[in-house]
């Protein structure tokens, strides 16, 4: 049983995983089992080029960020299980016990974070009822989002990045993932507001 499973290997998902990973020494997070489906084949980052992203050198390719982020996660926070090459097709159950079915296996988890893109090809059974037109995309792009209030779709289910209704800017996506990670840390901390920072002190 996972405590949280993150669906997606793009900016928002990896940001969420990194923040959750960095809380590994907090008493309320020390025993949590975290996993991330790092299926990246359809990520919009595959064709991205960054010249305007804070902290990233101009000319950085999105495809490089994808590979570097998974390596960063595995080196810095090896306790987070990366699940590559699996596509989520179905979600069943309700908080605090969900069953996620992929094209290869199935997993039990207490919470779910959905961080895949906002294309109208979205087809995860069990989440279809939450689909609505994307509120910040041009109508002709036919983008979708999942209905949510402050990233929360339903009890135990969160959505991040463009699928949460945000625009497709790297900084926005990263912030969205980090925001949900701190929301989850707050749940684990019995509702006491919390976040994590690394420091040189």
């Amino acid at each position: 049983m996972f405590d949280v499973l993150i669906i997606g290997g793009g900016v928002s998902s990896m940001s969420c995983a990194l923040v959750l990973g960095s809380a590994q020494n907090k008493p309320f997070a020390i025993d949590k089992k975290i996993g991330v489906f790092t299926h990246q084949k359809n990520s919009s980052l595959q064709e991205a080029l960054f010249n305007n992203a804070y902290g990233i050198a101009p000319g950085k390719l999105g495809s490089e960020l994808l590979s570097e982020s998974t390596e960063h996660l595995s080196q810095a926070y090896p306790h987070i299980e990366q699940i590559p090459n699996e596509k989520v097709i179905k979600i069943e159950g309700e908080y605090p016990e969900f069953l996620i079915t992929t094209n290869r296996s199935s997993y039990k988890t207490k919470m779910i974070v959905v961080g895949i893109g906002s294309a109208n090809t979205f087809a995860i059974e069990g989440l279809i009822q939450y689909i609505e037109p994307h509120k910040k995309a041009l109508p002709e792009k036919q983008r979708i989002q999942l209905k949510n209030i402050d990233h929360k779709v339903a009890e135990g289910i969160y959505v991040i990045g463009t699928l949460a209704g945000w625009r497709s800017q790297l900084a926005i996506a990263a912030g969205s993932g980090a925001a949900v990670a701190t929301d989850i840390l707050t749940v684990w901390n019995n509702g006491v507001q919390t976040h994590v920072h690394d420091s040189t002190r």
Side-chain angles (χ1 to χ4, degrees):
M1 170 74 80
F2 284 87
D3 288 281
V4 60
L5 273 171
I6 304 165
I7 303 171
V11 175
S12 61
S13 295
M14 297 309 288
S15 175
C16 185
L18 287 165
V19 173
L20 289 175
S22 69
Q24 61 185 325
N25 295 323
K26 297 283 188 181
F28 54 80
I30 201 165
D31 61 345
K32 301 303 184 188
K33 187 175 181 184
I34 305 162
V36 54
F37 293 99
T38 54
H39 181 70
Q40 299 175 328
K41 184 177 180 182
N42 295 323
S43 174
S44 57
L45 281 186
Q46 296 288 2
E47 298 176 348
L49 169 68
F50 292 101
N51 291 313
N52 65 352
Y54 178 79
I56 296 175
K60 172 68 76 173
L61 296 176
S63 56
E64 294 174 324
L65 279 179
L66 284 172
S67 59
E68 289 170 6
S69 64
T70 54
E71 183 61 26
H72 176 187
L73 186 63
S74 65
Q75 288 186 3
Y77 309 115
H79 65 288
I80 293 186
E81 184 175 339
Q82 293 191 40
I83 308 168
N85 306 317
E86 292 192 36
K87 186 175 182 180
V88 173
I89 57 177
K90 188 176 184 180
I91 292 174
E92 300 172 276
E94 58 186 28
Y95 180 77
E97 187 170 329
F98 296 99
L99 179 67
I100 294 180
T101 302
T102 74
N103 57 328
R104 295 187 176 185
S105 190
S106 60
Y107 305 85
K108 287 183 178 180
T109 184
K110 295 177 183 176
M111 288 191 282
I112 297 168
V113 179
V114 188
I116 58 178
S118 56
N120 62 4
T121 53
F122 183 93
I124 298 177
E125 187 179 339
L127 295 179
I128 303 297
Q129 68 270 31
Y130 299 112
I131 291 176
E132 64 181 4
H134 199 290
K135 294 177 182 177
K136 293 186 178 180
L138 294 170
E140 58 266 30
K141 292 202 172 198
Q142 298 183 324
R143 298 296 183 191
I144 58 100
Q145 65 180 62
L146 298 187
K147 294 176 186 175
N148 69 93
I149 297 174
D150 192 21
H151 294 100
K152 193 172 186 178
V153 176
E155 194 63 36
I157 302 177
Y158 298 87
V159 61
I160 52 179
T162 57
L163 194 62
W166 298 109
R167 294 187 178 92
S168 57
Q169 293 285 145
L170 182 141
I172 296 173
S176 174
V180 166
T182 58
D183 286 346
I184 290 170
L185 293 177
T186 296
V187 171
W188 290 348
N189 196 28
N190 294 316
V192 178
Q193 294 293 336
T194 190
H195 54 273
V196 287
H197 292 301
D198 294 323
S199 173
T200 57
R201 288 182 295 176

